[in-house]
């Protein structure tokens, strides 16, 4: 800075210049522009402290996304992270975590490696424990400046066979390739490098250049030969002075020397062209504004050159557009490289894919998996997960106090499915579908009802026909023997009405069997209620007739007019009319309708008739029950009246059976659903009707058909005499 004879246009600075914040005061002393060909560093973006520094490397804005996309491709969701203890490492950690959270990828551990050697030695055991033994993560990301502590840690862990998959940037290529490859711990290592076009003629230049034609200082030569591993090419070199520089780099092409241009080399290449283009622009502007003075050297202040440099835009010879405005260098593409064991002790960097951030989601990553050589030398992909994937039919259940990537697999609840792996929630099947046994897909339910093709429905239908026919036979017997004492003594008209109502009650069962429709749903309840009301009111009329026949037939009794006038014949119409009124109110307010039951029977949709208004349904049953109770009470009072043909005992027992059946039906009706509930109602109808038929008419038919001598009034009088 103090030498006026030295006119420096710009400075080119490398990675070691940005390692420490202590360099900030020193950097501010330099007035001329400095172009950094090191990887992008956020510290150098601070224009207040580094006004004259220009970074050639683009920001790694898309690097976290590129790494997470690669992890998702291989289904890695449990990874470790090693970063340097500086602003660059902290910023990368923040960006990586944000990208991971949106894609369900978790950090198993984060090791922040201090740059101070004393601090590092005090914490080395903790970091070693994470990498070597404790963590179940098989994938580890390393990011940060290539400082001594981080480099030493990386070399130590890979050397002693931690068998991890390492994700890194091109900064770490020297650490992965330029070393002995007698072990396989670096196989499967992935490095992300900025994508740039190939520079024409570069490989030819490297292959033909001779070091003797390019004078270097002694120290530069020494470090160059260290990088090129002079000891293996010049086995006779005992001292630095014995190492000849008259050798072509072509010999090193396959021997620990990468012929492709690295990121730092490409940044340096662009930096030189940026300076050249800026000078060219400044000279052209000077010629346009100032008169030409031949032989005069162009003199300018550093700030003048800096004003041209920060605005320059150009296309380099490789066809890559460059812009010195760092804010406009947004997303960059990445080439993905892996390490191959080319031959014994040799590692070769092979391009296996590319990441393009501005492509649509799902098409950003291109990868050739066949080109990857994994740790064990096979094509089998290494797994790195906290918990094994939940198979279809299961859902993830988070483990308390652990990351979202750590979970247990819980079977889906009933009638819910999961048809993919690692689902957070199971999906409930639609109403008309049900889950299969494995709970991986929904199947359509079978529509069913109490039909004639069902064994239960066929049985009930046959039973109904049988009892209807039997009742018709009984009616025929009574009609044939209508003039006999046993038929005449118990009011033939009421007997015929009762038998006809029993036939209809048996036939009511057919309204409950078969596919329901609106008409059958209405007739099920109303026809059943009206027909049974007629039957029970007929029994009531018969019992009242018996009582009045014995109690009020004596001369002078006032109630004798009931028997003479035929007033008892109005009991049946009045009782039936009340029931009809209740049914009309029921149908007018909330009539029965077709309903589906999807829950009672697994895999089936039951088509049933809904009663509509439950209150109306129970009012109808209650009225029917009250008639039965009154009939039972009257019949019970007349059970011991003296008469050979008195049927009061039979009526009492029949009503008792009737009431028992329907009292049992009520709780069963509440506790069953679907076909079973319909079958129970049909069974109750058949049982109660059969009870009335058998209890009342079986003894009479027995006398008529098998004991005709007992059905004779003369014989009865002779015996009494």
């Amino acid at each position: 800075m103090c030498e006026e004879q030295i006119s420096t246009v710009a400075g080119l600075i490398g990675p070691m210049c940005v390692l420490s914040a202590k360099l900030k005061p020193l950097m501010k002393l330099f007035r001329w522009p400095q172009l950094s060909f090191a990887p992008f560093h956020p510290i150098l973006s601070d224009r207040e402290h580094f006004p004259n520094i220009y970074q050639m490397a683009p920001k790694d804005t898309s690097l976290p996304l590129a790494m997470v996309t690669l992890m998702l491709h291989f289904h890695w969701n449990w990874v470790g992270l090693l970063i340097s203890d500086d602003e660059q490492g902290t910023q990368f950690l923040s960006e990586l975590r944000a990208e991971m959270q949106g894609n369900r990828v978790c950090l198993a551990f984060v090791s922040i490696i201090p740059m101070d050697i004393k601090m590092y030695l005090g914490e080395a055991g903790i970091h070693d424990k994470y990498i070597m033994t404790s963590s179940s993560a098989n994938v580890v990301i390393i990011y940060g400046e290539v400082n001594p502590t981080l480099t030493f840690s990386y070399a130590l862990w890979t050397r002693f066979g931690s068998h991890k998959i390492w994700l890194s940037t091109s900064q770490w290529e020297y650490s992965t390739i330029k070393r002995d490859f007698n072990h396989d711990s670096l196989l499967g290592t992935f490095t992300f490098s900025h994508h740039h076009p190939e520079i024409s003629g570069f490989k030819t230049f490297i292959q033909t250049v001779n070091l003797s034609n390019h004078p270097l200082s002694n120290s530069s030569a020494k470090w160059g030969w260290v990088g090129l591993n002079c000891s293996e090419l010049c086995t006779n070199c005992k001292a630095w002075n014995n190492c000849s520089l008259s050798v072509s780099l072509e010999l090193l092409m396959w021997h620990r020397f990468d012929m492709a241009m690295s990121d730092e080399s490409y940044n340096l290449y662009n930096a030189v062209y940026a300076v050249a283009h800026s000078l060219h622009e400044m000279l052209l502007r000077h010629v346009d504004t100032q008169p030409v003075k031949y032989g005069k050297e162009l003199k300018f202040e550093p700030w003048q050159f800096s004003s041209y440099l920060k605005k320059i835009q150009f296309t380099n010879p490789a066809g890559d557009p460059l812009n010195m405005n760092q804010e406009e260098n947004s997303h960059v593409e990445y080439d993905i490289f892996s390490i191959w064991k080319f031959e014994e002790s040799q590692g070769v960097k092979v391009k296996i894919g590319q990441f393009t951030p501005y492509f649509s989601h799902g098409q950003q990553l291109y990868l050739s998996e066949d080109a990857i050589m994994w740790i064990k030398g096979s094509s089998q992909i290494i797994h790195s997960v906290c918990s094994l994937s939940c198979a279809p039919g299961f859902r993830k259940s988070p483990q308390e106090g652990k990351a979202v990537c750590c979970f247990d697999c819980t079977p889906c609840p009933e009638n819910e499915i999961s048809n993919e792996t690692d689902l957070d929630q199971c999906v409930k099947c639609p109403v008309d579908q049900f889950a299969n046994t494995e709970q991986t897909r929904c199947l359509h339910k079978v529509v069913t009802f109490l039909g004639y093709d069902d064994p239960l429905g066929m049985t009930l239908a046959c039973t109904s026909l049988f009892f209807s026919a039997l009742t018709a036979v009984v009616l025929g017997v009574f009609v044939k023997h209508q003039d006999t004492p046993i038929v005449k003594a118990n009011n033939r008209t009421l007997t015929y009405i009762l038998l006809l109502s029993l036939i209809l009650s048996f036939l009511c069962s057919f309204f409950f069997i078969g596919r329901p429709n609106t008409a059958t749903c209405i007739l099920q309840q109303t026809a059943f209620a009206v027909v049974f009301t007629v039957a029970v009111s007929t029994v009531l009329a018969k019992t009242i007739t018996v009582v009045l026949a014995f109690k009020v037939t004596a001369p002078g009794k006032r109630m004798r007019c009931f028997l003479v006038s035929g007033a008892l014949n109005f009991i049946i119409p009045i009782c039936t009319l009340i029931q009809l009124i209740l049914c009309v109110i029921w149908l007018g307010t909330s009539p029965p309708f077709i309903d589906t039951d999807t829950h009672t029977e697994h895999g089936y949709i039951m088509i049933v008739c809904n009663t509509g208004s439950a209150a109306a349904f129970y009012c109808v049953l209650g009225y029917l029950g009250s008639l039965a109770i009154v009939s039972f009470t009257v019949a019970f009072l007349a059970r011991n009246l003296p008469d050979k043909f008195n049927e009061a005992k039979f009526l009492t027992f029949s009503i008792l059976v009737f009431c028992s059946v329907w009292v049992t039906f009520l709780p069963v009706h509440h506790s069953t659903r679907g076909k079973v509930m319909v079958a129970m109602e049909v069974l109750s109808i058949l049982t109660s009707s059969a009870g009335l038929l058998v209890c009342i008419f079986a003894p009479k038919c027995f006398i008529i058909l098998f004991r005709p001598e007992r059905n004779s009034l003369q014989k009865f009088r002779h015996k009494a005499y």
Side-chain angles (χ1 to χ4, degrees):
M1 296 299 295
C2 299
E3 295 289 339
E4 295 183 359
Q5 300 298 325
I6 301 177
S7 56
T8 303
V9 176
L12 305 179
I13 60 177
M16 299 305 293
C17 294
V18 295
L19 287 178
S20 175
K22 296 179 181 179
L23 294 177
K24 288 182 181 179
L26 180 61
M27 291 292 187
K28 293 179 70 173
L29 293 177
F30 296 102
R31 296 192 302 270
W32 32 264
Q34 302 138 59
L35 288 82
S36 170
F37 58 88
F40 184 86
H41 202 293
I43 292 181
L44 299 183
S45 299
D46 187 355
R47 286 298 173 196
E48 181 180 353
H49 294 93
F50 306 103
N52 297 319
I53 291 184
Y54 299 89
Q55 299 192 72
M56 301 306 301
K59 293 180 180 180
D60 282 327
T61 309
S62 303
L63 182 60
L65 175 61
M67 289 186 169
V68 171
T69 304
L70 181 68
M71 298 174 202
L72 295 175
H73 177 80
F74 289 116
H75 304 287
W76 297 332
N77 63 5
W78 191 240
V79 299
L81 177 63
L82 299 175
I83 56 173
S84 53
D85 189 10
D86 56 13
E87 184 177 347
Q88 188 177 15
T90 304
Q91 181 175 343
F92 178 76
L93 173 60
S94 175
E95 294 174 354
L96 183 66
R97 271 184 170 158
E99 201 65 50
M100 284 181 166
Q101 288 177 357
N103 292 279
R104 296 294 184 92
V105 181
C106 306
L107 287 172
F109 63 88
V110 178
S111 289
I112 302 177
I113 308 299
M115 300 176 67
D116 184 80
I117 190 64
K118 292 183 179 180
M119 293 180 60
Y120 168 75
L121 292 176
E123 301 174 1
I126 300 175
H127 302 306
D128 291 344
K129 183 179 179 182
Y130 277 132
I131 299 294
M132 304 298 289
T133 57
S134 296
S135 177
S136 58
N138 292 321
V139 176
V140 181
I141 302 172
I142 181 169
Y143 184 85
E145 289 290 339
V146 186
N147 58 65
T149 55
L150 195 55
T151 304
F152 176 75
S153 301
Y154 184 40
L156 180 68
W157 293 322
T158 55
R159 174 70 65 177
F160 286 98
S162 60
H163 296 294
K164 304 288 185 183
I165 299 295
W166 296 89
L167 305 184
S168 62
T169 57
S170 59
Q171 299 168 251
W172 297 90
E173 288 179 356
Y174 183 89
S175 300
T176 57
I177 300 177
K178 315 292 194 290
R179 63 170 62 188
D180 291 336
F181 236 77
N182 292 324
H183 55 87
D184 297 337
S185 60
L186 288 175
L187 292 178
T189 297
F190 297 91
T191 56
F192 290 79
S193 176
H194 294 141
H195 175 74
H196 50 76
E198 184 176 347
I199 298 177
S200 177
F202 176 72
K203 288 186 178 180
T204 304
F205 170 77
I206 291 296
Q207 292 171 0
T208 58
V209 69
N210 195 300
L211 295 181
S212 61
N213 298 330
H214 297 271
L216 300 171
S217 65
N218 187 42
S219 61
S220 298
K222 289 180 181 180
W223 285 112
W225 280 114
V226 168
L228 302 178
N229 205 341
C230 171
S231 60
E232 295 195 10
L233 286 178
C234 306
T235 55
N236 296 325
C237 291
K238 301 299 181 182
W240 286 108
N241 295 330
N242 295 331
C243 288
S244 173
L245 297 178
S246 299
V247 61
S248 172
L249 293 182
E250 185 178 10
L251 297 175
L252 303 173
M253 180 177 178
W254 293 105
H255 195 81
R256 303 193 174 193
F257 189 78
D258 189 4
M259 296 300 295
M261 183 175 283
S262 66
D263 282 354
E264 290 184 8
S265 299
Y266 189 70
N267 295 336
L268 180 58
Y269 178 83
N270 288 329
V272 174
Y273 271 94
V275 174
H277 277 276
S278 300
L279 283 172
H280 183 69
E281 183 70 22
M282 188 175 64
L283 288 171
L284 290 177
R285 187 67 57 88
H286 181 77
V287 169
D288 291 339
T289 56
Q290 300 292 334
V292 179
K293 296 180 180 180
Y294 295 101
K296 288 286 186 176
E297 181 182 352
L298 177 64
K299 292 185 178 180
F300 55 87
E301 295 296 328
W303 62 267
Q304 292 178 303
F305 176 70
S306 181
S307 64
Y308 286 94
L309 180 63
K310 65 183 178 181
K311 298 178 181 179
I312 196 67
Q313 298 183 26
F314 64 95
T315 301
N316 67 9
D320 199 8
L322 270 298
N323 187 351
M324 294 303 293
N325 186 355
Q326 193 65 52
E327 298 299 327
E328 297 183 11
N329 292 337
S330 55
H331 299 296
V332 295
E333 299 180 47
Y334 289 93
D335 291 331
I336 304 174
F337 295 90
S338 183
I339 307 300
W340 266 34
K341 190 174 182 180
F342 180 70
E343 58 183 39
E344 195 65 30
S345 303
Q346 299 302 315
V348 177
K349 183 180 73 171
V350 178
K351 181 178 177 179
I352 61 168
Q354 186 172 335
F355 178 80
T356 309
Y358 45 80
F359 280 5
S360 60
H361 182 72
Q363 298 180 346
Q364 296 171 316
L365 179 68
Y366 165 75
L367 205 63
S368 177
E369 295 189 22
D370 296 336
I372 302 174
M373 184 179 291
W374 298 100
I375 291 177
K376 297 180 181 180
S378 66
S379 60
Q380 185 177 4
I381 299 176
I382 304 300
H383 298 285
S384 184
V385 295
C386 180
S387 300
L388 294 177
S389 296
C390 292
F394 293 82
R395 65 177 178 86
K396 295 194 296 186
S397 179
Q399 296 180 359
E400 188 175 356
K402 294 188 178 181
V404 295
C405 300
C406 302
F407 49 82
D408 297 319
C409 294
T410 306
C412 288
E414 185 179 357
N415 209 38
E416 293 187 12
I417 65 163
S418 63
N419 54 6
E420 297 179 10
T421 57
D422 291 338
L423 287 182
D424 294 324
Q425 296 293 334
C426 299
V427 180
K428 193 174 185 63
C429 289
V431 177
D432 60 340
Q433 297 180 13
F434 69 101
N436 61 348
T437 306
E438 295 79 15
Q439 293 184 285
T440 56
R441 61 193 183 102
C442 293
L443 304 176
H444 285 280
K445 292 181 177 180
V446 178
V447 177
T448 185
F449 46 85
L450 186 63
Y452 296 103
D453 54 345
D454 189 287
L456 181 59
M458 181 58 69
T459 302
L460 294 174
C462 292
T463 305
S464 177
L465 285 176
F466 171 76
F467 279 105
S468 299
L470 181 62
T471 308
V473 171
V474 172
L475 178 60
V477 171
F478 271 69
V479 171
K480 183 178 180 180
H481 300 84
Q482 60 181 335
D483 294 326
T484 59
I486 198 170
V487 176
K488 294 172 64 176
N490 295 285
N491 197 324
R492 285 178 299 185
T493 303
L494 295 179
T495 300
Y496 296 155
I497 294 174
L498 179 58
L499 287 171
L500 288 174
S501 64
L502 288 178
I503 293 175
L504 294 176
S505 65
F506 285 123
L507 295 178
C508 279
S509 303
F510 288 98
F511 289 130
F512 294 84
I513 303 173
R515 189 184 184 95
N517 54 56
T518 304
T520 55
C521 285
I522 293 175
L523 290 174
Q524 277 182 8
Q525 308 302 334
T526 55
F528 151 74
V530 172
V531 170
F532 264 75
T533 300
V534 172
V536 175
S537 60
T538 303
V539 174
L540 176 62
K542 288 174 72 69
T543 54
I544 293 176
T545 300
V546 172
V547 171
L548 292 178
F550 282 94
K551 298 293 185 181
V552 300
T553 54
K557 293 290 184 178
R558 295 180 181 179
M559 296 186 66
R560 184 178 181 183
C561 61
F562 285 102
L563 289 174
V564 177
S565 62
L568 296 177
N569 295 331
F570 293 99
I571 293 178
I572 298 174
I574 292 173
C575 294
T576 305
L577 181 61
I578 295 174
Q579 186 70 287
L580 283 172
I581 293 173
L582 292 176
C583 289
V584 169
I585 295 173
W586 181 6
L587 297 178
T589 55
S590 181
F593 59 90
I594 302 174
D595 197 6
T596 55
D597 183 0
T598 59
H599 306 289
T600 300
E601 198 167 348
H602 183 70
Y604 292 91
I605 298 178
M606 301 294 304
I607 301 180
V608 295
C609 288
N610 193 306
T611 56
S613 173
F617 174 72
Y618 288 112
C619 283
V620 169
L621 284 183
Y623 175 72
L624 192 60
S626 63
L627 286 180
I629 292 173
V630 172
S631 299
F632 174 77
T633 304
V634 176
F636 182 79
L637 295 175
R639 71 188 186 282
N640 293 322
L641 293 177
D643 186 15
K644 176 177 177 61
F645 304 111
N646 184 14
E647 60 179 354
K649 293 182 179 180
F650 303 140
L651 295 175
T652 304
F653 190 67
S654 65
I655 293 298
L656 180 62
V657 172
F658 182 89
C659 293
S660 301
V661 170
W662 288 104
V663 168
T664 307
F665 165 78
L666 291 176
V668 175
H669 182 267
H670 276 287
S671 61
T672 57
R673 292 291 182 271
K675 288 195 298 185
V676 178
M677 182 186 71
V678 177
M680 288 304 301
E681 188 167 358
V682 174
L683 186 62
S684 299
I685 292 173
L686 295 177
T687 305
S688 57
S689 301
L692 292 176
L693 176 66
V694 173
C695 294
I696 296 175
F697 296 100
K700 296 180 181 180
C701 289
F702 180 77
I703 294 174
I704 293 173
L705 297 176
F706 302 104
R707 294 289 188 269
E709 67 277 4
R710 296 175 57 183
N711 191 17
S712 173
L713 187 59
Q714 290 79 7
K715 189 172 183 178
F716 171 73
R717 289 174 176 174
H718 176 72
K719 185 177 180 181
Y721 174 76

